[in-house]
């Protein structure tokens, strides 16, 4: 049966277009129930024994949730207890339009066979499709469609044998919809009503999201925050430029301060400073907000004070905290300051953290403290507070009324005991949005069938380079070997150098489930004791890994180079190689240094090393930066898997050798793919930092009477090379560490969407990533572009679509940033484990930053940063004078400057189990009443207690 749907659509030019769509109605859409004999379905989804113990529905029943219930109570629907649910097409379509993340989660539930969720295409079923009536809103029409489908199910399944007691239960929190369903004779309940009736699982009630009615009940009557403007006024304000739109970024160190990043054209992006609870106005980290700029005479400077939210306070204490933000500063330090007047888009996600149990006996409302300090505490209602103490849990925010100091939320799930290594790893992966679930069967189905071997057909399409003396040089324990190298003499006196990269794009074909999963993950994430692969292990550690003495597919970049490291010619080819050795950096270095070794591999390494030194010297002369960031390496106990030693990583010549040829390959490939595809090449750039980024570097250098020139990368590199202080050898390293902090993030971009390609740090006009396709999806795309460029593979539409490429780049940039943060969090956690077992250690350090009430100290031996606070609750505070210009902090009569040498005692402060941190206390210089006597090495860290 054919019907037509007619609707009008506004065009870009402002006109109106009438659209008529054919809409087919069918008789062969089945109900999905095992009870039914009328429907000719092969594998029904809804079970016969669909019984959940309930006081309201004692018999077998199927659930039909409406749209709002799916949007707001998804945590309930995801619970293993909730099964045999009918998801109507009307609901699914509406969810898809209103929330992409909820739609994705809903699809995952539907695909989970154990959940028995059945999608019923009611909009195409002859008996359940309804027309929209005159003067009926789209929302009302959809509600009516849901009721009609529920009625049809009730009547349809009544005719089925053994289904006399089967009930169809409609779940809705909409009062109007519930009343109309009651009038139609349907079985209908509010979600809360139904969940509270489940006798066997009372804890499921904790997962209920609060409705707006519930939220009003539990807040005070006093208005604490200004009303948010309605969206219509926000849009008008943005159009007239009286309001600005931007992303809210809460401070990690100060809960009363945030910035709003307002994106502009080109370099026009600005940051607006927000200070004080009223001005922050219930915005949460990463929300898209509307901001009103304050008059210029109300602008303030970013605060240098470190303030943590210690839980509910009375008004005087809150005011005292806000007064700490205020200090006299010069005009130049003032920043555009504003207040949040409305929320354009909430970017809430489930947050990991711990419960702060209420002191009131039998209380069900408690405060939850998120692990991420940028997220405010959340008030939740739970009856299992005693069981959840000391556990890491997940909580979702439901809303933040103007009467409430904190947002309201609900319990999602328990992750495990706080401090447990597995639990803490799970927390840091969830908090940094790292996809770490096992690869699905759909993904694994696209892997090659084992045993796998290279065929005659394969050899016809590739260059045979198995005779070359190729080897890999990697960190110890590396199993995902992306790259190998070779160097050999040519008859004409020049050298042939090759970089051979794993040909991952041969195994991962565009658009299939394996490709989509790799694109979503974006990168492999390396934690201290765990690797979360971007691609399944069969590829990452076996078929793609260029292990020694096995034949592997590669993508080769081969140069003819003279002895001055000048490139005479470059060619690219798909190849087959057989690596002759898998070496660590240390093993390769020993071969180069050992005069008695003269085999082909060692000769090749010596040739590569010699050329690499010339390439590096030339790069640095061209303005490339050599920056520094202290990296640490843990020595792990083989039995307990706890860290037993902590050292900064030592870099060898061979690290630099490999790096030089990877850079050379990346630059060569970048130029090739851009020459061939000027509109859709995937490239990587490193923007030059704005001059204000260097303020802290200039101040630090000035304190030692040194001038740093920052007008170009070359000027900065030269200044850093010349910056030396007699008797202070570590000064230059400190300066480079600080310079690293001034840098912008390097990003992927599509060449057709940008005009500035320059890589500031490498001083290269063009750059990309080609050399690590096992662990970076960007490199897979670059391989595909290069393969098309040399005629080794065919193209596909998405590869040539600059808008699709640009969207992909945004995801890759996000995934890389989160992977970096996850790695840092993993290092921090293992550092805590190390100090937990070692107790107190007394070490020399240098001041990296000076704050209003603290100094931040770097310990070179461990590459570790920590804060020495000069104010505490339990003793009289010393006299502090802070000078922003220096910056200097005078404690009693001693002035602290950046880069001053200090001696501190380091221990693990485990007094707050969730936010355990490395605690540093000053030993030298000796300041009476402030510094501490050097404690004996080794006492245990303070006993853990719950966060307060």
């Amino acid at each position: 049966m054919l019907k037509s749907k007619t609707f009008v659509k506004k065009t870009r030019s402002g006109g109106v277009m009438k659209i008529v769509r054919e809409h087919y109605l069918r008789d062969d859409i089945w109900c999905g129930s095992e009870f039914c004999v009328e429907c000719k379905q092969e594998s029904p989804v809804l079970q016969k024994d669909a019984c959940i113990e309930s006081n309201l529905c004692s018999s077998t029943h199927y659930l039909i949730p409406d749209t709002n219930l799916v949007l707001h109570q998804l945590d309930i629907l995801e619970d293993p207890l909730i099964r045999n649910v009918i998801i109507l097409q009307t609901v699914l379509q509406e969810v898809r339009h209103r929330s992409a993340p909820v739609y994705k989660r809903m699809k995952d539930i539907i695909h989970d066979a154990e959940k028995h969720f059945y999608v019923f295409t009611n909009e195409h079923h002859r008996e359940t499709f309804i027309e929209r009536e005159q003067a009926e809103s789209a929302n009302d029409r959809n509600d009516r469609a849901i009721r009609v489908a529920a009625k049809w199910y009730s009547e349809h399944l009544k005719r089925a044998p053994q289904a006399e007691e089967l009930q169809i239960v409609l779940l809705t929190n909409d009062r109007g919809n519930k009343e109309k369903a009651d009038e139609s004779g349907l079985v209908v309940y509010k979600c809360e009503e139904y969940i509270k009736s489940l006798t066997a699982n009372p804890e499921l009630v904790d997962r209920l999201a609060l409705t707006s009615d519930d939220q009003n009940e539990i807040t005070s009557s006093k208005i604490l925050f200004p009303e948010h403007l309605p969206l219509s006024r926000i849009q008008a304000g943005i159009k007239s430029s009286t309001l600005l739109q931007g992303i809210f970024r809460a401070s990690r160190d100060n809960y009363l301060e945030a910035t709003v990043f307002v994106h502009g054209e080109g370099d026009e992006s600005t940051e607006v400073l927000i200070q004080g609870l009223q001005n922050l106005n219930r915005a949460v980290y990463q929300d898209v907000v509307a901001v009103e700029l304050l008059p210029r005479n109300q602008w303030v400077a970013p605060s240098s004070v470190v303030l943590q939210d210690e839980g509910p306070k009375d008004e005087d204490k809150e005011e005292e905290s806000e007064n700490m933000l205020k200090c006299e500063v010069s005009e130049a330090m003032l920043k555009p300051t504003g207040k949040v007047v409305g929320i354009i888009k909430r970017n809430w996600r489930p947050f990991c953290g711990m419960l702060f149990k209420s002191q009131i006996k039998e209380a069900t409302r408690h405060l939850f403290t998120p692990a991420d300090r940028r997220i405010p505490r959340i008030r939740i209602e739970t009856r299992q507070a005693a069981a959840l103490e000391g556990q890491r849990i997940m909580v979702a925010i439901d809303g933040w009324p103007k009467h409430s100091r904190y947002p309201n939320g609900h319990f999602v799930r328990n992750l495990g005991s706080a401090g447990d290594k597995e639990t803490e790893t799970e927390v840091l992966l969830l908090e940094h949005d790292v996809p770490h679930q096992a690869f699905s069967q759909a993904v694994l189905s696209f892997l090659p069938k084992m045993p796998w071997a290279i065929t005659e057909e394969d050899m016809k399409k590739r260059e045979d380079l198995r005779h070359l003396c190729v080897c890999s040089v990697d960190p110890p324990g590396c199993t995902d070997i992306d790259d190998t190298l070779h160097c050999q003499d040519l008859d004409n006196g020049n050298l042939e150098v090759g970089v051979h990269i794993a040909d991952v794009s041969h195994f991962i074909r565009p658009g299939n489930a394996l490709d989509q999963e790799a694109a979503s993950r974006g990168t492999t994430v390396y934690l201290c004791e765990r690797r979360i692969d971007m691609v399944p292990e069969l590829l990452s550690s076996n078929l793609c890994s260029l292990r020694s003495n096995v034949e592997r597919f590669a993508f080769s970049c081969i140069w003819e180079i003279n002895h001055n490291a000048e490139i005479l010619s470059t060619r690219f080819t798909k190849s087959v190689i057989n690596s002759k050795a898998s070496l660590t950096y240390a093993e390769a270095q020993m071969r180069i240094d050992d005069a008695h070794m003269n085999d082909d591999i060692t000769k090749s390494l010596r040739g590569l090393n010699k050329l690499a030194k010339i390439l590096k010297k030339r790069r640095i002369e061209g303005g490339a930066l050599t920056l520094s960031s202290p990296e640490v390496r843990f020595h792990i106990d083989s039995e307990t898997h706890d860290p037993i030693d902590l050292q900064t990583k030592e870099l060898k010549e061979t690290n630099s050798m490999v790096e030089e040829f990877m850079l050379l390959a990346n630059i060569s490939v970048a130029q090739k793919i851009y020459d061939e595809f000027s509109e859709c090449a995937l490239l990587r750039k490193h923007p030059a930092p704005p001059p204000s980024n260097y303020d802290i570097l200039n101040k630090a250098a000035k304190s030692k009477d040194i001038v740093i020139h920052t007008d170009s990368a070359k000027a900065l590199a030269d200044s850093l090379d010349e910056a030396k202080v007699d008797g202070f050898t570590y000064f230059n390293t400190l300066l480079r560490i600080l310079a690293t902090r001034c840098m912008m993030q390097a990003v992927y971009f599509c060449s057709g969407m940008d005009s500035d390609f320059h890589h500031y740090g490498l001083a290269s006009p063009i750059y990309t990533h080609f050399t690590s396709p096992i662990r970076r999806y960007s490199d897979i795309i670059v391989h595909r572009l290069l393969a098309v460029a040399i005629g080794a593979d065919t193209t596909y539409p998405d590869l040539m679509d600059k808008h699709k490429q640009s969207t992909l780049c945004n995801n890759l940039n996000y995934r890389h940033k989160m992977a970096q943060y996850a790695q840092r969090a993993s290092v921090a956690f293992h550092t805590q484990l190390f100090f937990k077992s070692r107790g107190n250690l007394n070490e020399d350090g240098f001041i990296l930053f000076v704050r209003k009430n603290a100094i931040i100290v770097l310990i070179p031996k461990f590459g570790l940063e920590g804060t020495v606070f000069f104010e505490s609750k339990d003793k009289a505070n010393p006299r502090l004078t802070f000078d922003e210009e220096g910056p200097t902090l005078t404690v009693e009569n001693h002035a602290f400057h950046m880069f001053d040498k200090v001696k501190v005692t380091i221990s693990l402060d485990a007094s707050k189990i969730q936010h355990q941190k490395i605690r540093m206390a000053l030993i030298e210089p000796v300041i009476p009443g402030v510094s501490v006597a050097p404690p004996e090495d080794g006492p245990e860290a303070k006993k853990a207690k719950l966060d307060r």
Side-chain angles (χ1 to χ4, degrees):
M1 182 178 169
L2 182 64
K3 280 190 173 287
S4 63
K5 272 184 167 181
T6 308
F7 55 95
V8 288
K9 186 180 176 185
K10 208 171 185 181
T11 63
R12 278 185 181 174
S13 57
V16 173
M17 187 194 294
K18 185 177 180 181
I19 295 173
V20 180
R21 278 205 188 134
E22 292 179 341
H23 189 84
Y24 291 90
L25 298 182
R26 302 169 55 163
D27 297 313
D28 59 348
I29 293 169
W30 315 129
C31 70
S33 172
E34 287 180 352
F35 282 111
C36 187
V37 288
E38 280 181 40
C39 295
K40 298 175 180 63
Q41 49 213 0
E42 283 178 19
S43 48
V45 174
L46 303 165
Q47 298 168 294
K48 276 187 177 178
D49 59 341
C51 196
I52 303 174
E53 286 182 49
S54 162
N55 293 334
L56 293 172
C57 308
S58 53
S59 59
T60 304
H61 56 276
Y62 298 154
L63 300 173
I64 298 183
D66 73 355
T67 309
N68 277 327
L69 202 116
V70 171
L71 285 167
H72 300 117
Q73 302 291 356
L74 197 60
D75 289 324
I76 291 286
L77 295 176
E78 282 178 329
D79 194 275
L81 180 76
I82 306 297
R83 293 183 307 188
N84 294 292
V85 177
I86 299 159
I87 300 294
L88 300 176
Q89 181 191 3
T90 309
V91 170
L92 207 54
Q93 283 175 342
E94 223 179 331
V95 167
R96 187 179 184 179
H97 290 143
R98 286 171 61 179
S99 173
V102 172
Y103 178 72
K104 186 186 179 303
R105 283 169 68 189
M106 191 72 244
K107 292 289 278 185
D108 289 344
I109 301 173
I110 291 162
H111 289 139
D112 182 351
E114 289 182 13
K115 290 283 287 171
H116 299 279
F117 272 50
Y118 180 67
V119 178
F120 178 62
T121 321
N122 63 308
E123 294 291 352
H124 288 278
H125 194 291
R126 191 197 296 271
E127 292 178 46
T128 57
F129 171 75
I130 58 163
E131 300 271 10
R132 186 169 159 188
E133 291 172 356
Q134 216 170 350
E136 186 179 39
S137 72
N139 197 40
D140 287 346
R141 181 258 166 214
N142 288 347
D143 282 349
R144 188 160 61 86
I146 293 166
R147 294 194 299 273
V148 165
K151 187 82 174 165
W152 177 84
Y153 255 102
S154 292
E155 290 169 357
H156 174 75
L157 290 174
K158 262 193 189 126
R159 302 194 292 270
Q162 303 170 334
E164 302 81 14
E165 290 189 14
L166 176 69
Q167 287 185 308
I168 303 299
V169 177
L170 176 61
L171 293 181
T172 179
N173 283 334
D174 183 312
R175 237 175 252 164
N177 196 16
K178 187 174 184 300
E179 283 167 13
K180 285 175 181 162
D182 274 328
E183 287 164 18
S184 310
L186 291 169
V187 179
V188 58
Y189 298 116
K190 280 176 71 176
C191 183
E192 185 180 356
E193 194 179 4
Y194 175 75
I195 296 302
K196 283 182 175 174
S197 79
L198 303 180
T199 47
N201 293 70
E203 69 279 0
L204 195 56
V205 174
D206 291 350
R207 299 189 72 176
L208 279 168
L210 292 175
T211 61
S212 49
D213 292 350
D214 300 330
Q215 296 201 33
N216 293 333
E217 267 176 45
I218 64 171
T219 55
S220 69
S221 55
K222 187 177 177 192
I223 292 177
L224 301 176
F225 294 100
E227 187 86 66
H228 285 149
L229 295 180
L231 210 51
S232 54
R233 278 188 59 191
I234 291 173
Q235 286 165 340
I238 291 168
K239 200 171 181 182
S240 64
S241 299
T242 54
L243 299 179
L244 300 171
Q245 172 179 328
I247 297 166
F248 183 86
R249 292 176 177 166
S251 164
R252 206 186 289 274
D253 298 321
N254 187 339
Y255 76 101
L256 292 173
E257 187 168 278
T259 52
V260 172
F261 179 76
V262 180
H263 193 70
E265 291 300 314
D267 296 330
E268 294 301 301
S269 299
T270 53
E271 280 198 332
V272 179
L273 186 63
I274 316 284
Q275 273 190 2
L277 279 178
Q278 294 277 309
N279 292 339
L280 296 171
N281 197 7
R282 297 171 284 153
V284 175
Y285 180 65
Q286 294 288 34
D287 283 350
V288 181
V289 297
V291 172
E292 185 183 315
L293 275 182
L294 296 173
R296 208 179 178 92
N297 61 0
Q298 291 178 34
W299 286 12
V300 294
S303 166
S304 300
V305 72
V306 179
L307 273 182
Q308 305 293 353
D309 183 2
E310 300 293 347
K313 295 185 181 115
D314 57 37
E315 280 180 48
D316 295 345
K317 283 272 169 62
E318 205 78 79
E319 205 171 309
E320 198 180 299
S321 296
E322 299 215 3
N323 286 337
M324 284 183 77
L325 302 178
K326 297 169 184 151
C327 60
E328 292 297 314
V329 288
S330 65
E331 187 75 22
M333 310 275 308
L334 298 178
K335 299 275 185 210
T337 308
K339 62 180 179 181
V340 173
V341 294
I343 307 291
I344 296 165
K345 183 174 179 258
R346 289 288 194 192
N347 270 325
W348 295 340
R349 58 177 173 83
F351 301 105
C352 301
M354 293 183 73
L355 201 65
F356 166 30
K357 195 169 163 235
S358 170
Q359 300 302 306
I360 304 163
K361 212 175 173 189
E362 304 298 318
T364 57
R365 288 175 192 149
H366 309 271
L367 271 182
F368 162 83
T369 304
D372 187 341
R373 289 192 181 278
R374 294 168 300 191
I375 307 298
R377 291 172 182 235
I378 302 162
R379 186 173 275 114
I380 69 166
E381 197 160 334
T382 175
R383 286 151 192 78
Q384 38 177 343
L388 295 178
E389 265 198 299
Q391 301 289 298
R392 289 282 202 171
I393 63 172
M394 276 181 94
V395 162
I397 300 179
D398 299 324
W400 196 343
K402 61 187 175 185
H403 309 89
S404 177
R405 168 67 179 82
Y406 295 108
N408 296 320
H410 66 274
F411 168 77
V412 176
R413 67 186 170 105
N414 188 351
L415 299 170
S417 297
D420 174 74
K421 209 180 297 181
E422 290 295 313
T423 304
E424 295 303 329
T425 303
E426 178 74 4
V427 167
L428 75 85
L429 291 171
L430 288 166
E431 279 297 289
H432 296 99
D433 196 14
V434 174
H436 58 287
Q437 67 280 13
F439 289 101
S440 69
Q441 276 310 118
V443 168
L444 298 174
S445 67
F446 286 96
L447 292 174
K449 301 291 174 275
M450 296 300 285
W452 175 86
I454 295 172
T455 64
E456 284 294 315
E457 200 57 39
D458 292 328
M459 293 306 296
K460 286 177 192 170
K461 300 174 190 166
R462 292 175 178 267
E463 193 169 334
D464 188 350
L465 301 179
R466 290 175 292 185
H467 60 284
L468 290 176
C469 189
V470 166
C471 69
S472 63
V473 185
D474 288 286
C478 178
T479 60
D480 51 343
I481 302 170
D482 284 292
D483 52 274
T484 55
L485 303 125
H486 89 273
C487 175
Q488 64 178 18
D489 294 328
L490 294 173
D491 295 341
N492 62 7
N494 292 326
L495 299 161
E496 179 187 85
V497 173
V499 164
H500 312 274
I501 305 299
D503 188 5
V504 183
S505 63
H506 170 84
F507 296 97
I508 300 181
R509 303 310 296 162
N512 68 23
L514 178 55
D515 182 48
Q516 287 171 4
E517 182 66 22
S520 169
R521 292 186 179 217
T523 178
T524 292
V525 181
Y526 295 90
L527 305 181
C528 291
E529 278 189 273
R530 186 174 166 192
R531 187 180 85 200
I532 289 100
D533 283 327
M534 180 183 83
V535 298
E537 195 178 11
L538 179 65
L539 297 183
S540 67
S541 296
N542 188 349
L543 302 185
C544 291
S545 184
L546 304 180
R547 303 184 305 190
S548 54
N549 303 315
V550 287
E551 294 179 357
R552 289 288 178 257
F553 288 152
F555 210 148
S556 301
C557 173
I558 299 168
W559 303 277
E560 184 177 340
I561 296 183
N562 65 22
H563 288 271
N564 290 327
E566 291 161 338
I567 296 169
L568 307 174
S569 69
T570 308
R571 69 187 183 91
F572 306 99
T573 180
K574 291 257 185 168
S575 61
V576 177
I577 63 162
N578 189 324
S579 172
K580 303 300 182 274
S582 300
L583 306 172
T584 65
Y585 291 116
E587 286 167 348
Q589 192 67 54
M590 277 158 58
R591 278 176 176 264
I592 291 167
D593 297 342
D594 187 344
H596 297 100
M597 293 190 78
N598 282 303
D599 57 278
D600 289 346
I601 292 170
T602 306
K603 283 180 189 168
S604 176
L605 287 168
R606 285 189 187 128
L608 290 165
N609 198 36
K610 193 176 168 189
L611 291 170
K613 286 177 180 176
I614 303 168
L615 288 169
K616 184 170 185 176
K617 185 168 180 283
R618 193 177 299 148
R619 234 176 15 88
I620 288 168
E621 283 168 0
L625 294 172
T626 310
L627 298 176
S628 180
S629 65
E631 280 194 76
V632 297
R633 182 175 200 88
F634 292 97
H635 294 272
I636 304 289
D637 185 287
S638 58
E639 295 294 322
T640 64
H641 296 283
D642 284 340
I644 48 176
D645 199 8
L646 174 62
Q647 294 171 339
T648 46
K649 285 184 186 172
E650 183 194 343
L651 297 180
K652 298 186 173 358
E653 259 185 20
T654 43
N655 290 76
S656 181
M657 174 189 83
V658 173
E659 184 185 5
E660 286 307 315
F661 286 106
M662 296 306 118
L663 292 174
L664 191 61
N666 287 333
I667 292 166
S668 301
V669 171
Q671 196 58 60
K672 177 70 176 173
I673 62 173
Y674 178 63
D675 290 345
E676 292 288 334
F677 308 109
S678 60
E679 284 293 293
C680 58
L682 191 152
L683 302 175
R684 186 163 175 84
K685 67 172 180 175
H686 183 214
S692 61
N693 275 32
Y694 290 121
D695 288 352
I696 196 76
L697 181 68
N698 289 327
K699 282 180 181 179
K702 195 177 167 189
S703 71
K704 301 292 180 194
D705 297 323
I706 281 169
V707 177
I708 300 286
H709 299 286
T710 57
D711 32 329
S712 71
K714 173 83 175 121
L716 175 61
D718 291 346
S719 297
L720 289 171
D721 286 344
E722 290 161 18
K724 289 180 178 66
V725 172
D726 291 339
F728 188 180
T729 51
Y730 200 66
F731 173 75
N732 192 266
T733 307
L734 283 169
L735 218 50
R736 288 179 195 274
I737 290 170
L738 216 51
T740 307
R741 310 279 172 99
C742 300
M743 293 298 131
M744 305 290 281
Q745 189 87 30
V747 289
Y748 296 110
F749 69 101
C750 176
S751 58
M753 304 290 279
D754 210 324
S755 54
D756 174 23
F757 293 7
H758 191 74
H759 196 293
Y760 181 80
L762 296 172
S764 174
I766 194 165
Y767 192 65
T768 193
H769 272 164
F770 164 74
T771 54
S772 295
I774 295 177
R775 61 186 177 89
R776 290 189 305 234
Y777 188 77
S778 52
D779 304 49
I780 293 178
I781 295 293
V782 169
H783 276 228
R784 288 173 182 169
L785 287 163
L786 184 61
V788 175
I790 65 168
D793 206 343
T794 52
T795 185
Y796 57 98
D798 283 8
L799 193 65
M800 298 295 138
D801 184 329
K802 64 180 181 181
H803 298 286
K804 292 256 175 77
Q805 287 280 50
S806 191
T807 305
L808 175 68
C809 287
N810 291 339
N811 180 57
L812 295 180
N813 291 330
Y814 170 70
R815 292 294 186 207
H816 276 261
K817 184 171 70 175
M818 296 320 272
Q820 247 178 343
Y821 292 162
Q823 280 155 234
R824 283 181 206 161
S826 181
V827 168
F829 175 62
H830 279 76
T831 305
Q832 288 170 10
L833 288 179
F834 171 72
F835 280 102
K836 191 174 187 175
S837 60
R838 296 295 294 268
N840 291 321
L841 290 176
N842 306 326
E843 295 293 343
D844 290 332
F846 297 97
I847 298 175
L848 261 191
F849 301 105
V850 176
R851 297 281 185 255
K852 194 176 179 182
N853 58 348
I855 53 173
I856 290 154
V857 175
L858 173 75
I859 310 297
K861 181 178 173 182
F862 299 132
L864 174 71
E865 272 176 54
T867 307
V868 176
F869 287 98
F870 293 113
E871 291 177 336
S872 69
K873 290 183 215 165
D874 41 17
K875 64 177 184 179
N877 290 330
R879 203 169 61 254
L880 302 179
T881 313
F882 180 66
D883 175 16
E884 193 91 46
E885 289 299 314
T888 60
L889 176 64
T890 306
V891 181
E892 296 298 341
N893 295 315
H894 184 92
F896 289 101
H897 310 83
M898 291 175 73
F899 296 176
D900 282 0
K901 190 173 181 181
V902 292
K903 187 165 192 153
V904 294
T905 178
I906 313 165
S907 60
L908 177 69
D909 176 5
S911 60
K912 292 182 178 177
I913 195 167
Q914 168 157 261
H915 292 128
Q916 295 191 28
K917 54 178 176 273
I918 302 300
R919 175 73 73 194
M920 292 188 184
L922 189 71
I923 297 175
E924 290 172 13
V926 175
I927 304 171
V930 175
S931 53
V932 297
E936 292 285 313
D937 280 4
E940 275 297 304
K942 270 194 239 170
K943 195 169 185 302
K945 64 177 184 189
L946 296 188
D947 269 1
R948 290 293 173 211

